[in-house]
Amino acid sequence: MSGSEAVAKPGITVLASKISKEYVDEITKKVEALKSIRPEGPLLVGFLANGDPAAEMYASWTKKTSESMGFRYELRRVDEKDFLEEAIIEANRDDAVDGIMVYYPIFGNAQDQYLQQVVAREKDVEGLNHVYYQNMYHNIRYLDNEKQLKSILPCTPLAIVKILEYLKIYNTLLPEGNRLYGKKVVIVNRSEIVGRPLAALLANDGAIVFSVDVNNVQKFTRGESLKFIKHHVEDLGPYSEDLLKQCCADADVIITGVPSPKYKFPTEYVRDGTVCINFSSEKNFDDSIKTKASLYVPMTGKVTISMLLRNMLRLIENAEKVKAKN
């Protein structure tokens, strides 16, 4: 590498496949250990009812990845959206099914939120059930008072947390729960599936998070000196380029998730050395980001699938503990 190239690209690109490797190894060993109760491997069922090419691709990745680790994966296509609820209920009742996931958006409105609650909590590998969400927002990590049954976190926000841990953004010298203290994070996405829960998770871990969408900018924080147990939200006003630029001026991390091929995050807003992560299926940063970011993660899909399968193993573990108790 010449001196000029070294100056032009001071940071490095980190691939999701590299980050996910340690989880792949851990998950594969756990599936092997389940042979006595799941001899053919745990069964994950995915429901596809939207004909979205990105969802098709994600389903294909999920099948390939899960089968490589010893799981069984079954994609169930539902041509008539209105029959999806019945199909999910049928899978809820089927003892052979260990985990259920649905490829959203389907209706693109409150009906999708309703369907998220139709999936049985005990089989919800995506962590979208209201009990899991309530626990996450309130910084509660268990489902029971005895702290035997671990709560599930939404798999894409959880994947981004694991990526930040891998990149050493979390300070392991600090107590667990405070390890993002002093860090500033910008998230360009406030969807109920990823952006908002991610902002809450990172703020609950001690970060100051600026949550950006087309309407406004919100600040998620546990208050000065982390005085609150869980995050609080402050509205900073309507979205504007100036406000976004201001939020990014001293950001340690910028995370994007805009599902549009036309959107590109302005590289000039990124200060030198910022960590940049994109979880959208579209490329939210152009190649110039490599001249500014210290660490750049262009996609998160493989880590997300690992977290989904990890969630599924946790659900099986919880189910076995409940069975033993009864």
Side-chain angles (χ1 to χ4, degrees), residues 102-275:
V102 182
Y103 296 96
Y104 297 103
I106 295 160
F107 297 94
N109 54 25
Q111 204 165 341
D112 281 7
Q113 292 175 25
Y114 168 73
L115 285 171
Q116 288 163 20
Q117 306 315 312
V118 172
V119 176
R121 189 185 86 183
E122 296 77 13
K123 299 187 180 188
D124 176 20
V125 295
E126 295 180 282
L128 301 177
N129 183 274
H130 70 93
V131 173
Y132 298 140
Y133 257 54
Q134 186 173 1
N135 280 358
M136 177 196 63
Y137 282 120
H138 289 265
N139 211 4
I140 297 168
R141 305 192 179 209
Y142 291 89
L143 295 168
D144 60 332
N145 293 332
E146 295 78 23
K147 297 186 176 179
Q148 294 296 308
L149 309 177
K150 287 184 178 175
S151 200
I152 302 298
L153 290 170
C155 51
T156 302
L158 177 58
I160 294 166
V161 166
K162 294 301 180 186
I163 288 168
L164 291 171
E165 286 179 352
Y166 179 89
L167 299 177
K168 311 294 187 194
I169 305 304
Y170 275 73
N171 184 347
T172 54
L173 296 176
L174 292 174
E176 192 173 0
N178 291 351
R179 289 178 174 173
L180 289 179
Y181 181 49
K183 302 292 184 187
K184 290 188 178 177
V185 181
V186 173
I187 303 171
V188 187
N189 174 291
R190 203 184 303 131
S191 67
E192 295 301 327
I193 302 284
V194 186
R196 190 189 298 277
L198 177 60
L201 276 173
L202 300 186
N204 282 346
D205 279 340
I208 294 170
V209 182
F210 297 102
S211 174
V212 179
D213 77 359
V214 291
N215 298 314
N216 63 359
V217 177
Q218 293 181 340
K219 183 180 179 181
F220 287 59
T221 172
R222 273 174 49 203
E224 191 178 338
S225 302
L226 306 184
K227 64 181 177 182
F228 302 121
I229 292 170
K230 70 179 187 72
H231 72 281
H232 289 228
V233 181
E234 178 188 347
D235 199 331
L236 299 183
Y239 171 84
S240 70
E241 288 292 317
D242 283 345
L243 185 51
L244 174 62
K245 191 175 181 179
Q246 190 180 318
C247 292
C248 294
D250 56 354
D252 298 288
V253 182
I254 296 173
I255 301 168
T256 58
V258 180
S260 167
K262 294 178 181 176
Y263 179 81
K264 288 287 181 279
F265 188 89
T267 304
E268 63 271 21
Y269 293 0
V270 181
R271 70 176 179 86
D272 289 350
T274 302
V275 170

Side-chain angles (χ1 to χ4, degrees), residues 27-38:
I27 291 162
T28 304
K29 284 175 187 169
K30 284 190 175 178
V31 172
E32 189 61 34
L34 285 174
K35 287 288 185 188
S36 60
I37 58 170
R38 300 289 190 282

